[in-house]
Amino acid sequence: MNYRECAEWLKNHNNILLLTHVRPDGDTLGSAAALCSALHRCGKKAALYNNPDITPKYMKYVSQYIEENFGYDCTVAVDVAEKHMLPLGFEGAVNACIDHHPTNSHYADELLLHPEKSSCGEVVLEVIKELCKNVTPDEASLLYMAVSTDCGCFRYANVTAETFAAASELVSCGAAVRELNFDLFRQVSRARIVLEGMICSGLEFYKDGAVVVATVTEEMMSKAGATENDCDDIAGIPGKVEGCVVSMVIRELAKGKCKVSVRSQPSFDSSALCALFGGGGHKMASGCTINEEPDRVRQMLIDALDKLWA
């Protein structure tokens, strides 16, 4: 689908359940909530699926769009690249998907995909303009959250001129930029600061410092008093080291299960590495889940990276 076709598809459906991905970030939640608001303005019944992984950091922005026991006739996944990334507890078909991940597996019946966009928020912005011809201040704030969090407040390599143009447009539409920037990027909990200290002190270096690996264990989380709410964007921590080309964060989710986040410079394809373990994403930002202990996961990743290293 293109933007117009996606808008027409939405206009031709009702009772729409919007799906976000597991361990939802600001992009999937902000994009889905903004689209939900626009659908309401079109006279449609729509609601966000009550994703059990939503943290308090983001819940306060999207709670009004969640409706328990919502009776839906169709589903739309927002910023969900793979079927296995659908939220916990949801079962059933996905009728449409709006996404920006180049690794999208085309699992939905209909797909609006723009892999050149740095965030799904930029895609949803265009859909809303097709639907409603304008964007409300609340929608603009939700979309600014989506855009800014997915590009690290405009610090990541995925930022383009279109990213800045979208942000500028959202500011013009009334996005609460000052409040959002402070809440999302300038203030963290005490537990997060303690956890960051543990992560930095335990960094491991390979290939003369070009590869930096961080491990976050359940024990570290417990000692820091940290929760999922304190883990937003920890994937960016090891990549701050000067000379780093590839950074990896291995986070122990449960015994024998780890979430891996890989970030890289343009010279290395992160998605190619994660694809070896059933994951994917973008060339410079990808992830996967590996059912092994952290030490074993680290060795598996290094061994795989050796084969891809040019």
Side-chain angles (χ1 to χ4, degrees), residues 99-167:
D99 194 19
H100 73 122
H101 291 96
T103 57
N104 188 287
S105 63
H106 296 246
Y107 61 90
D109 297 334
E110 301 287 346
L111 174 64
L112 172 62
L113 178 64
H114 278 273
E116 78 281 4
K117 299 293 188 182
S118 67
S119 66
C120 196
E122 294 171 63
V123 183
V124 172
L125 171 60
E126 299 304 320
V127 174
I128 290 176
K129 289 190 292 185
E130 287 284 347
L131 278 172
C132 303
K133 308 305 179 187
N134 65 350
V135 179
T136 69
D138 285 344
E139 291 162 8
S141 291
L142 289 164
L143 291 175
Y144 181 83
M145 178 175 77
V147 173
S148 62
T149 54
D150 230 36
C151 67
C153 202
F154 312 98
R155 293 178 291 123
Y156 295 163
N158 62 340
V159 174
T160 66
E162 289 186 343
T163 312
F164 287 114

Side-chain angles (χ1 to χ4, degrees), residues 209-284:
V211 178
V212 185
V213 182
T215 301
V216 183
T217 64
E218 288 188 297
E219 182 181 8
M220 290 168 62
M221 293 284 290
S222 178
K223 284 184 177 179
T227 67
E228 188 68 34
N229 202 48
D230 303 305
C231 293
D232 200 46
D233 199 33
I234 60 172
I237 294 174
K240 294 179 180 180
V241 177
E242 185 177 6
C244 177
V245 176
V246 180
S247 65
M248 295 183 277
V249 173
I250 301 165
R251 183 178 166 202
E252 185 180 30
L253 299 177
K255 186 172 179 58
K257 181 179 181 179
C258 292
K259 173 190 174 184
V260 177
S261 299
V262 182
R263 303 291 183 265
S264 67
Q265 297 296 328
S267 58
F268 185 86
D269 189 346
S270 295
S271 64
L273 176 61
C274 291
L276 297 175
F277 301 97
H282 303 279
K283 182 177 180 180
M284 292 179 285

Side-chain angles (χ1 to χ4, degrees), residues 290-305:
I290 301 177
N291 294 321
E292 295 283 354
E293 298 298 323
D295 289 344
R296 174 60 180 154
V297 169
R298 186 188 310 110
Q299 191 58 56
M300 291 169 66
L301 289 167
I302 295 301
D303 289 345
L305 183 143

Side-chain angles (χ1 to χ4, degrees), residues 25-93:
D25 57 14
D27 193 18
T28 188
L29 291 169
S31 297
L35 181 58
C36 189
S37 172
L39 289 169
H40 290 168
R41 289 200 287 140
C42 292
K44 300 293 182 180
K45 291 183 179 180
L48 267 64
Y49 177 79
N50 191 9
N51 190 330
D53 289 338
I54 302 175
T55 62
K57 178 176 183 176
Y58 292 118
M59 181 60 85
K60 60 180 177 285
Y61 294 110
V62 303
S63 60
Q64 64 180 302
Y65 301 103
I66 297 172
E67 184 178 330
E68 293 289 351
N69 302 314
F70 178 71
Y72 62 92
D73 294 324
C74 63
T75 57
V76 178
V78 183
D79 193 44
V80 186
E82 305 277 349
K83 193 169 185 178
H84 72 266
M85 294 294 291
L86 290 168
L88 295 174
F90 174 79
E91 295 181 0

